[in-house]
Amino acid sequence: MHPLRLSLILAVGAAALSLGHTALLAQQTIGESAAPPAAEAPVAAWEPEVTRTHPFALTLQEMMRGFEIVGQAPVGVSWTDDSRWIYFRWLPAGHDFDADRELWRVAAEGGEPELIDDPLVADSLSIIFGGGDISPDRSLRVTTWRGDLYLVDRSDLSVRRLTDSRQNFSRPTFSRDGASIFFTGGGQLYSLSLDEGVIRQLTDIRSGEADEESEPEGHRAFLHEQQTELFEYIRRRQAQRERREELQERFAERGIHTVHTGGQGNPTGIFPESGGAYAAVQTTIAARGQEATIVPRWITEDGYTAGDEVRGKVGDVVGASRVGIHSLGSDSIAWIDLAEAVKARAETNNPVGIWEAGQLAAVYDGDVTPRVIGFQGWNDAGTHALVSSISDDNKHRWIASVEAATGDITILEHLADSAWVAGPCFNCMGWFPDSDRAYWVSEADRFAHLYTARADGSDPRRLTSGEWEVHQVQIPEHGRHLYLRTNEGSPFEQHMYRMALDGGERIRITDGVGRFEAAVSPDGDRLAVTHSTITRPPELYVQENRPGAVMAQVTLSPEEDWLAFPWIDAEIIPFEARDGTDVPARIYRPSDMGVESNGGAVLFVHGAGYLQNVHRWWSQYFREYMFHHLLAAEGFTVLDVDYRGSAGYGRDWRTAIYRHMGGWDLSDFTDSVDWLGENEGVDRGRIGIYGGSYGGFITLMALFTEPDVFHAGAALRSVTDWAHYNEGYTSRILNRPQDDPEAYRISSPIYFAEGLRGHLLMGHPMYDTNVHFSDIVRLTQRLIELGKENWELSVYPTENHGMLEPWSWTDQYRRIYELFWRTLSAPGCTEGTGVCEVPAFQRR
């Protein structure tokens, strides 16, 4: 027996034992467990070298251990204020799949990382690396830990506790003179004098309308006086109310007025400028009457099915948000009327960022108004606030500065798109230090680039340009340079660049292949870099902050056996789509595993829609990456495709699916089959496709609408009807179902289920709070009513959308593997005439 197949027997057998009775019941849905054992299929002629000479077992059980074998990558990478230490959360391989990352630290020069193994110590250490505002003289940092305020001396990391309270204080910032600290607690703004230690309340902002009491008249006046005369209870209540009113009057004498937000929503944040004269007030307006959906929890401690209320459906009522400027000590809030400013600007000139190119132009009309307004920060002088807003139809974004003293609004950018506004770094915006110049990232020229203008709208500049994207913007505390992470030079890599605040030459700091993220040390001398490649997960490195500096590796996450395996550095190839566009893909060939092709092919569809999976760094689909090695070792050619709608390639690629999901995105996969047939010798009659979430949706559309091209598919946690998905994602791409029903009809698989001819496996978590289990239940009923037979459904009662447990992953991918083996491994499988039964040793 072939050693690879022997290892599969052991892996799957162990998985079946661990799954127990539930697994045995699930197996019966395949219709194999009751069948008599079949004769073992002949061992294939190929003998992959990797399965004989490497200790890592390329088995489903091993691969689906996930984090247990590759570890959990370093996150939360933070420098101490003295630039001597780097703290990070990390969990190397060898721990349980659901274990939490542990706290580690390493010296700035690198070396062996140290584990902080006492969880209480690790928790409290966050005070010295957990971020926070820096004093004007750069000597102190203020932060919070477990609801209290702490002051850190940045030279020696000594800590001074400022509060000891059961209240939950948050958002501490220094005043401009460094003498006080502003912070919030209980929804109000306070100040703390560092010299006196005195805490002062600065606001009393409440939701709703102020109570207006009128004097009773007539019989009501008589009854009021009678109650007061007869009952001590009433007299005491009146006295309490009078004391409260007296207290409010005293607050007003001290400069504190009770201010109500009225119809502008409930306060969710108060943000003071450093001079202490003004504060921005952020509110939310609830979606009145929205109907939530119930997601049952089937496996519970008490044995009774429970349910959780989660999101509503697209097209239901939605909430909004507002921002106002409150002059501290005043009795009012000046609400920002962005709609009027937008209208005035649109009537007077052409807003920055409106495209003039045919179908891309989204013209403003009076019905398009800002719905969500968000506060984005104060400039250092405290003279201007930055706000951003999205229109109700998702086709407009406005960025504006607001002068605190006058309330004057200046629209800095109006970005309009006939599809929807979005893109990488869409919320990257703020102020340059010690300046009245704002910056933001925009797709105004079809690629995400960095723009800037003064607060009054003058001197607008575009700091970057080209057919590449800005993915991250940092301004370290020294404030001399911008640090950008971009895909300049190749959409398949991301590097760190340094650039002057006013633009000019970009200097690439990181060197190598893959993806690089960096945190700059406070003194600006060194970088803590997280780096990964196709074959290696993200690890932490340190280097000097200069081009060409050598990176010193700090962490090593995976198991030794895993590291010893020759993982494929998959080739990235372009294929030509029907409209002449080159579509990027990654290919896994059987020859990469030392075997001959069996003629079949499997296409993988990444999820999220707007996500990139064809690149030279570690994929978040690392289990699928390993699974593709197994498929290639069995003779299948495997192709990842960054279809239209994927991230990394600019605005036009991103929005190609507008009003038709399952259009260009699906046709890219159909066209890839032509390329595989012409260039890789793949049998066009043996094409499989699979993916999860959006990938599951595409799989359904492929089997339902292109049955002559796709013969087997596994649709995992898939959207089957977009009218049942959420508002935030769906309404941008398809508009709302009541406004654009045709977009939903042509984009939803449930309308095309009658087209199923191939072999379909559906898998869905039963506690899926993202794509609800009811979605796949509805499609199941449709298939039953249509009399379809060649489909099956596997369910995972305790799993949510992301899937966590190794036994669930193993069960799911066993079914996928067996599906493709049964239907695609030899000519005639899909027609049922070939000898394509799963070998006996793979049966349960």
Side-chain angles (χ1 to χ4, degrees):
M1 184 178 297
H2 191 274
L4 174 62
R5 291 181 172 171
L6 175 60
S7 63
L8 280 170
I9 297 175
L10 298 176
V12 177
L17 288 174
S18 67
L19 288 165
H21 180 65
T22 302
L24 294 175
L25 290 176
Q27 289 160 18
Q28 293 176 9
T29 65
I30 302 179
E32 292 185 6
S33 55
E40 182 173 326
V43 176
W46 47 263
E47 288 280 338
E49 185 68 21
V50 293
T51 63
R52 292 200 307 263
T53 61
H54 291 276
F56 180 77
L58 194 64
T59 67
L60 288 172
Q61 188 181 34
E62 279 298 293
M63 290 184 289
M64 298 308 154
R65 287 173 56 206
F67 294 125
E68 293 180 355
I69 56 173
V70 301
Q72 296 187 47
V75 297
V77 178
S78 303
W79 288 89
T80 53
D81 292 285
D82 58 5
S83 298
R84 293 179 55 201
W85 294 96
I86 303 166
Y87 282 83
F88 56 98
R89 295 277 176 181
W90 175 51
L91 197 70
H95 294 79
D96 289 342
F97 68 93
D98 55 354
D100 294 328
R101 287 180 173 91
E102 299 168 321
L103 181 65
W104 297 72
R105 75 171 188 172
V106 68
E109 298 78 20
E112 287 291 323
E114 304 173 20
L115 171 65
I116 314 299
D117 54 5
D118 187 326
L120 296 181
V121 172
D123 184 44
S124 62
L125 277 174
S126 64
I127 297 172
I128 67 169
F129 66 83
D133 195 42
I134 298 172
S135 63
D137 64 2
R138 304 288 177 188
S139 66
L140 301 172
R141 178 172 52 83
V142 64
T143 189
T144 60
W145 180 64
R146 294 194 175 276
D148 278 306
L149 307 180
Y150 293 81
L151 202 63
V152 179
D153 187 311
R154 305 186 73 210
S155 62
D156 60 10
L157 303 186
S158 59
V159 176
R160 170 186 166 193
R161 185 170 187 163
L162 298 180
T163 64
D164 189 355
S165 170
R166 291 190 176 184
Q167 284 202 58
N168 188 24
F169 298 133
S170 61
R171 298 192 185 115
T173 59
F174 280 96
S175 62
R176 191 172 303 132
D177 59 9
S180 300
I181 291 170
F182 301 114
F183 61 95
T184 59
Q188 303 303 329
L189 181 65
Y190 296 83
S191 69
L192 184 154
S193 169
L194 293 178
D195 291 334
E196 302 172 0
V198 176
I199 294 177
R200 294 182 174 86
Q201 184 172 341
L202 302 179
T203 65
D204 184 23
I205 297 175
R206 306 181 185 184
S207 60
E209 303 286 351
D211 294 332
E212 295 185 4
E213 294 187 4
S214 57
E215 289 294 325
E217 298 178 355
H219 77 288
R220 291 183 179 274
F222 172 83
L223 293 176
H224 185 272
E225 293 173 1
Q226 184 188 51
Q227 295 291 94
T228 302
E229 177 185 354
L230 294 176
F231 299 109
E232 176 67 15
Y233 166 75
I234 297 298
R235 292 193 292 274
R236 296 183 72 85
R237 286 194 63 184
Q238 291 174 345
Q240 289 175 347
R241 183 172 66 251
E242 290 170 359
R243 285 195 295 271
R244 287 196 300 270
E245 291 172 352
E246 180 184 358
L247 183 61
Q248 292 299 326
E249 291 176 0
R250 292 174 61 188
F251 277 161
E253 292 173 0
R254 292 174 48 198
I256 300 176
H257 292 270
T258 299
V259 182
H260 289 81
T261 58
Q264 301 297 328
N266 297 316
T268 56
I270 303 176
F271 305 91
E273 52 85 18
S274 60
Y278 302 98
V281 180
Q282 180 79 63
T283 67
T284 60
I285 302 172
R288 303 286 184 186
Q290 184 183 83
E291 184 174 354
T293 52
I294 305 296
V295 174
R297 285 184 283 115
W298 302 95
I299 308 298
T300 59
E301 292 184 4
D302 62 8
Y304 287 87
T305 300
D308 295 325
E309 282 195 3
V310 294
R311 61 161 175 84
K313 298 181 188 293
V314 59
D316 204 348
V317 291
V318 294
S321 62
R322 296 287 182 267
V323 175
I325 304 298
H326 175 53
S327 177
L328 296 179
S330 73
D331 60 358
S332 62
I333 299 173
W335 296 102
I336 297 173
D337 191 351
L338 201 54
E340 283 300 315
V342 165
K343 184 177 181 180
R345 180 174 175 86
E347 291 173 347
T348 57
N349 59 15
N350 235 356
V352 175
I354 286 191
W355 291 314
E356 304 273 344
Q359 76 275 15
L360 296 181
V363 179
Y364 173 83
D365 62 52
D367 295 330
V368 179
T369 57
R371 178 175 63 86
V372 175
I373 305 175
F375 174 71
Q376 302 293 345
W378 291 98
N379 67 339
D380 286 343
T383 58
H384 289 82
L386 189 70
V387 298
S388 65
S389 180
I390 301 293
S391 63
D392 186 62
D393 64 0
N394 301 297
K395 301 183 189 306
H396 300 261
R397 181 187 73 174
W398 298 273
I399 296 174
S401 68
V402 182
E403 187 175 7
T406 64
D408 290 347
I409 301 170
T410 302
I411 304 294
L412 302 180
E413 187 203 48
H414 173 192
L415 179 68
D417 196 311
S418 59
W420 74 98
V421 291
C425 223
F426 188 64
N427 292 313
C428 297
M429 60 186 73
W431 297 95
F432 286 163
D434 301 320
S435 170
D436 69 344
R437 181 172 288 278
Y439 70 88
W440 63 92
V441 172
S442 170
E443 284 186 332
D445 72 346
R446 293 181 170 82
F447 289 87
H449 282 294
L450 186 62
Y451 294 77
T452 177
R454 302 182 71 87
D456 62 3
S458 64
D459 194 20
R461 303 178 190 175
R462 183 169 66 178
L463 300 185
T464 63
S465 62
E467 294 190 0
W468 49 272
E469 298 178 320
V470 173
H471 285 261
Q472 184 185 34
V473 179
Q474 298 181 52
I475 305 179
E477 69 169 88
H478 52 71
R480 296 187 298 270
H481 294 95
L482 289 160
Y483 285 79
L484 310 177
R485 177 163 51 83
T486 80
N487 64 1
E488 183 175 358
S490 170
F492 312 125
E493 295 187 14
Q494 292 183 9
H495 281 275
M496 296 297 302
Y497 290 79
R498 184 173 64 229
M499 182 178 71
L501 294 179
D502 59 357
E505 180 186 7
R506 289 177 300 281
I507 300 173
R508 198 175 97 175
I509 306 173
T510 51
D511 188 33
V513 176
R515 186 174 190 261
F516 299 80
E517 291 186 81
V520 185
S521 62
D523 61 13
D525 292 340
R526 302 186 71 84
L527 301 178
V529 181
T530 305
H531 169 235
S532 71
T533 66
I534 290 179
T535 63
R536 291 293 183 265
E539 304 287 5
L540 180 64
Y541 298 76
V542 294
Q543 73 167 74
E544 294 179 6
N545 186 6
R546 59 178 177 81
V550 176
M551 295 196 313
Q553 186 167 350
V554 173
T555 63
L556 185 63
S557 303
E559 292 179 343
E560 288 185 15
D561 289 354
W562 189 93
L563 287 167
F565 194 88
W567 300 106
I568 300 171
D569 189 351
E571 180 186 358
I572 296 177
I573 58 97
F575 64 86
E576 186 174 341
R578 61 192 61 186
D579 62 347
T581 299
D582 282 342
V583 179
R586 288 201 302 199
I587 189 167
Y588 305 79
R589 297 181 175 93
S591 59
D592 294 329
M593 301 297 290
V595 305
E596 294 183 2
S597 171
N598 66 20
V602 173
L603 310 183
F604 174 65
V605 192
H606 69 69
Y610 191 64
L611 180 148
Q612 186 177 5
N613 197 46
V614 176
H615 47 60
R616 299 194 182 281
W617 63 85
W618 186 247
S619 173
Q620 70 181 67
Y621 296 100
F622 65 93
R623 296 179 184 86
E624 291 82 350
Y625 171 72
M626 292 186 283
F627 181 59
H628 296 164
H629 286 68
L630 176 59
L631 292 176
E634 292 282 11
F636 292 101
T637 301
V638 183
L639 200 70
D640 289 338
V641 178
D642 267 354
Y643 50 89
R644 244 69 71 95
S646 299
Y649 308 100
R651 178 266 171 199
D652 292 353
W653 201 270
R654 174 180 68 79
T655 61
I657 59 174
Y658 178 59
R659 297 193 68 237
H660 190 188
M661 291 190 275
W664 283 111
D665 44 3
L666 175 57
S667 69
D668 284 343
F669 283 94
T670 304
D671 295 339
S672 76
V673 174
D674 293 336
W675 185 89
L676 286 170
E678 294 169 4
N679 294 274
E680 299 294 322
V682 166
D683 182 350
R684 296 170 186 262
R686 291 190 285 141
I687 305 297
I689 186 169
Y690 86 103
S693 196
Y694 197 96
F697 151 73
I698 287 291
T699 298
L700 292 175
M701 291 294 277
L703 265 68
F704 292 173
T705 67
E706 296 280 1
D708 293 329
V709 178
F710 301 99
H711 309 101
L716 316 174
R717 51 198 182 276
S718 51
V719 174
T720 71
D721 186 344
W722 287 107
H724 291 258
Y725 197 51
N726 66 28
E727 167 73 20
Y729 181 90
T730 320
S731 65
R732 295 181 302 167
I733 305 173
L734 299 182
N735 302 313
R736 294 188 173 96
Q738 61 268 37
D739 301 326
D740 199 349
E742 181 61 21
Y744 283 79
R745 178 170 288 275
I746 64 175
S747 300
S748 296
I750 199 167
Y751 289 105
F752 302 97
E754 67 274 8
L756 176 64
R757 297 205 310 264
H759 302 264
L760 172 62
L761 166 66
M762 301 179 295
H764 212 103
M766 295 182 74
Y767 184 68
D768 193 330
T769 57
N770 183 6
V771 181
H772 302 159
F773 184 62
S774 59
D775 210 1
I776 204 68
V777 171
R778 294 176 69 247
L779 179 60
T780 298
Q781 179 64 21
R782 181 83 174 125
L783 293 172
I784 291 170
E785 293 181 359
L786 289 169
K788 298 296 181 180
E789 298 178 353
N790 48 338
W791 60 273
E792 60 184 272
L793 172 65
S794 61
V795 300
Y796 301 93
T798 63
E799 296 285 6
N800 206 323
H801 190 68
M803 299 276 287
L804 178 65
E805 297 160 348
W807 43 87
S808 298
W809 281 96
T810 301
D811 180 84
Q812 184 172 81
Y813 277 74
R814 170 183 62 80
R815 295 172 186 273
I816 298 170
Y817 171 83
E818 292 183 348
L819 169 72
F820 292 146
W821 181 271
R822 289 197 311 267
T823 61
L824 305 175
S825 62
C829 287
T830 55
E831 291 80 17
T833 59
V835 182
C836 305
E837 290 298 321
V838 178
F841 61 81
Q842 293 173 8
R843 295 178 182 273
R844 307 303 159 263

